[in-house]
Amino acid sequence: MPLFLVATPIGNLGDITERAREVLAACDAIVAEDTRHTGKLLHHLGVHKPLLSLPAFDEGSRAPALVARLRDGQSLALCTDAGTPAISDPGALLVREAVEAGIAIIPIPGPCAAAAAVSASGFAEGRFHFAGFLPRAEGERAALLHELKGLRAQLVFYEAPTRLRETLHDLQSALGDRPAMVARELTKLHEELARGTLSQLQSHFADEVRGECAIVVSGASAQVAVADPQALENEVRARLSRGERPKEIAEALAMEHGKREVYQLALKLRDA
Ligand code: SAM
């Protein structure tokens, strides 16, 4: 029987899909990252099912027993605490082992913080790269950011509120002072989409930050493209329209162009 991967709300319970409800009500058992957390959602939905636990730290040792159940003909629905399973959440290993065992996998799409943040970014690149949580170790973090620096795609990161400012700083150091957006508390009462360069966002989030955050950083494409004068003009216009000052724009694009040249252009376009 299949393994359903059921996306659940990332804050607003109204985001549960009709299909998610149906699958949760119809499956034999629900596999949860945290049974207490998912238990609350099921209570809200009026669904009563056996719950099996799949915590992130123990996925490897618990997956085989779950695959055995699927092989025996049970249908299981995997829910994580919030959003889409296997997206910076447990699930990928269980899916891999289930695939190897010939089990059908059925995703039930729904909320995902990364998708919601990218959809709201407005950045010009039509592509995005999901990087999730950056490694904590300095060397690994720097190596990964170096790898991502040239990507002509928006970069999406997850981060805890307590480390947001430090991560924005590391992103600026490694990628340059690019336009970015922090999506905080998506779908919740205090939802905020903060836009600005990475340095501006550090100032914006200088005080204690609360709530969950996803970061979208614009890709290398705009910076690479500034070799073309028209592309440079478009980039400067876009930054002016986001409220950046000529001095900030000149600093942000200094590595690809003369700082002075960009500054003069920004002044001209601003005052035109
Ligand atoms: N599987 C989830 C998904 O589909 O988005 C992500 C789970 S991951 C363990 C949790 C991280 O997702 C948070 O630290 C935060 O970066 C991001 N996140 C989750 N809910 C969010 C929300 N409501 N607003 C902004 N970011 C959120």
Side-chain angles (χ1 to χ4, degrees), residues 10 82-84 87-89 112-113 133 158-159 183 185-186 212-214:
I10 55 171
T84 302
I87 306 293
S88 292
D89 261 346
C112 173
F133 291 98
Y158 282 165
E159 192 47 284
E185 294 283 76
L186 285 166
E212 308 207 72
C213 303

Side-chain angles (χ1 to χ4, degrees), residues 24-85:
L24 292 172
C27 66
D28 291 314
I30 294 169
V31 181
E33 175 182 11
D34 178 335
T35 52
R36 275 188 310 176
H37 191 101
T38 298
K40 285 185 200 153
L41 174 70
L42 296 177
H43 179 76
H44 169 80
L45 298 175
V47 169
H48 304 282
K49 288 284 159 174
L51 279 166
L52 307 165
S53 167
L54 186 69
F57 64 85
D58 205 20
E59 192 176 349
S61 61
R62 299 201 191 193
L66 297 171
V67 173
R69 282 176 182 260
L70 291 159
R71 272 191 157 137
D72 286 348
Q74 287 192 24
S75 63
L76 300 181
L78 171 64
C79 295
T80 53
D81 288 356
T84 302

